[in-house]
Amino acid sequence: MGFAYAPQGRPSRFRAARFMSPAMEYISTRGQAPARDFEGVLLAGLAEDGGLFVPRHWPELSPAEWRAMRGLAYPELAARIIGLFAGAGLPLNTLCQDAYAVFGHPAIVPLVQLDQRCFALELFHGPTLAFKDMALQLLGRLFDHVLTKRGERVTIVGATSGDTGSAAIEACRDRAAVDIVILHPEGRTSEVQRRQMTSVLAANVSNIAIKGDFDACQDLVKAMFNDAPFRQEMRLSAVNSINWARIAAQIPYYVAAALALGAPDRPVAFSVPTGNFGNVLAAWAAMRMGLPIAKLIVGSNRNDILARFLAANDMTARPVEPSLSPSMDIQVSSNFERLLFELLGRDGAITAEAMRRFRSEGRMPIPDAAWREATRLFAGFTLDDAGTLAEIRHLHQAAGYLADPHTAVGTAAARALAPEDPAIPVVVAATAHPAKFPDAVERATGLRPPLPARLADLYVREERFSVLADDLGAVEDAVRAHARRNTA
Ligand SMILES: *Cc1c(COP(=O)(O)O)cnc(C)c1O
């Protein structure tokens, strides 16, 4: 028989989300902003109360529903999963087909076996050779579609420690309804990363190097969003990892890997090299939706606030130190707020207070019960630069695999903290192509990985960027001038 209503005892949120409510609603982790629909959170980025948007209800899938997705082509799988969060009305199939057509591998996200139980999930076959393309190629198309439909345009501002910026610029270049301004910390990105941003000369793209670290760049972006008149005037929007749509677009590859390895009939574990906590949060979301995930391993470099939190409930910010994996040189993991909100029983007032204390005192007080809940599923691992080089060397010798330094943090973490049951495979998110960090790979292995043909001339392309102090007024003036040039 069919179900005319959810059976008693376990109301199916999945059924409710799909058939009963016209659109998925999003609420703020700080409890003070109005709810919005998917298009609203896509365009807004940060909520008005400074919080992050999360779904009011998580969709949940049954084992039969997961099984039914086995064998789908990646763009189709992505459209199905993202559709659970987006509601009706967006041409997700077409947008996903277009977004992933630009990738350099026919599988989009190939799984490469490294040893008996460990697999690399290669997320770096997009235009900028890092996993950020997975979400941003789709987001650029979503923005353009929604804005064009509404007859609007926006100015995207973002902070990057390297990879987000180039991926956002590639996603937005030449899109009619979008201007984009990206802040990066001067001298703290790799040359490949900088050139991938600054050599895009499209009129709607502007790059600013800030005299400061990544957290300073991120604080400037947050300050622009908190400047309400400026935010309105510029129609500011974000594509950095606080944007919910990015998290949604990162869930499908965890689903694809788990299904390929036997889920939902066999649990899997994931190891994710982590900076802003966005990528691993997407893996957590897949688990929250019912995918059997035995463990989530969080890999950090020496900037290991998350590992210290998981080991001893010590969430204390320290100064950021440069490492071989610059995209993880972060001490304030913005997406952690979404997990915190869940750990605190979805209480926006308590979440807001914890974030306020963290901001003013540099230390986040987290109740013991919430910390224990986090450690049930998450485990943290720290690897310094020497360990990272040793791991790159080890992977090359043992498996003939060339890994970038971020991926190497993930594979070392996977070996150290794999679940006891040897039947549970561990999937490592391989987040960057080795050619994106050729110096570290060469130091470790003696081999210099070549750039793929489509990027072969990167080192001789013309660059364009300005350098500004860590000063809100100066940055706002530059954003204004850029937007004015393009609408004049
Ligand atoms: C951004 C990035 C990370 C960290 O991802 P988060 O979502 O910020 O945790 C790891 N590796 C690479 C190569 C990245 O570009």
Side-chain angles (χ1 to χ4, degrees), residues 130-132 163 273-279 327-328 404 406 431-432 437:
F131 93 95
K132 309 282 194 303
D163 291 337
T274 302
N276 254 323
F277 208 76
N279 203 7
S327 299
M328 293 150 56
D404 99 287
H406 303 78
T431 51
F437 300 92

Side-chain angles (χ1 to χ4, degrees), residues 161 188 213-215 274-276 301-303 320-332 385 406:
S161 54
R188 298 215 191 193
D213 61 18
F214 169 69
D215 287 341
T274 302
N276 254 323
N301 61 29
R302 64 208 290 190
N303 300 290
V320 179
E321 293 180 31
S323 79
L324 290 176
S325 41
S327 299
M328 293 150 56
D329 291 348
I330 289 169
Q331 281 288 338
V332 182
D385 282 356
H406 303 78

Side-chain angles (χ1 to χ4, degrees), residues 129-132 161-164 193 241 246-247 250 253 272-281 299 306 325-328 330 333 335 404-407 429-433 436-437:
L129 308 182
F131 93 95
K132 309 282 194 303
S161 54
D163 291 337
T164 314
Q193 288 177 318
S241 71
R246 264 185 74 180
I247 305 292
Q250 291 171 177
Y253 48 76
V272 185
T274 302
N276 254 323
F277 208 76
N279 203 7
V280 71
L281 186 88
L306 291 164
S325 41
S327 299
M328 293 150 56
I330 289 169
S333 298
N335 269 293
D404 99 287
H406 303 78
T407 303
T431 51
H433 192 290
K436 198 149 186 178
F437 300 92

Side-chain angles (χ1 to χ4, degrees), residues 136-166:
L136 289 175
Q137 281 299 314
L138 180 62
L139 246 69
R141 287 164 172 83
L142 275 170
F143 262 84
D144 218 36
H145 175 86
V146 171
L147 289 168
T148 304
K149 188 174 74 179
R150 297 181 175 197
E152 294 174 8
R153 46 183 302 125
V154 295
T155 304
I156 288 174
V157 294
T160 187
S161 54
D163 291 337
T164 314
S166 55

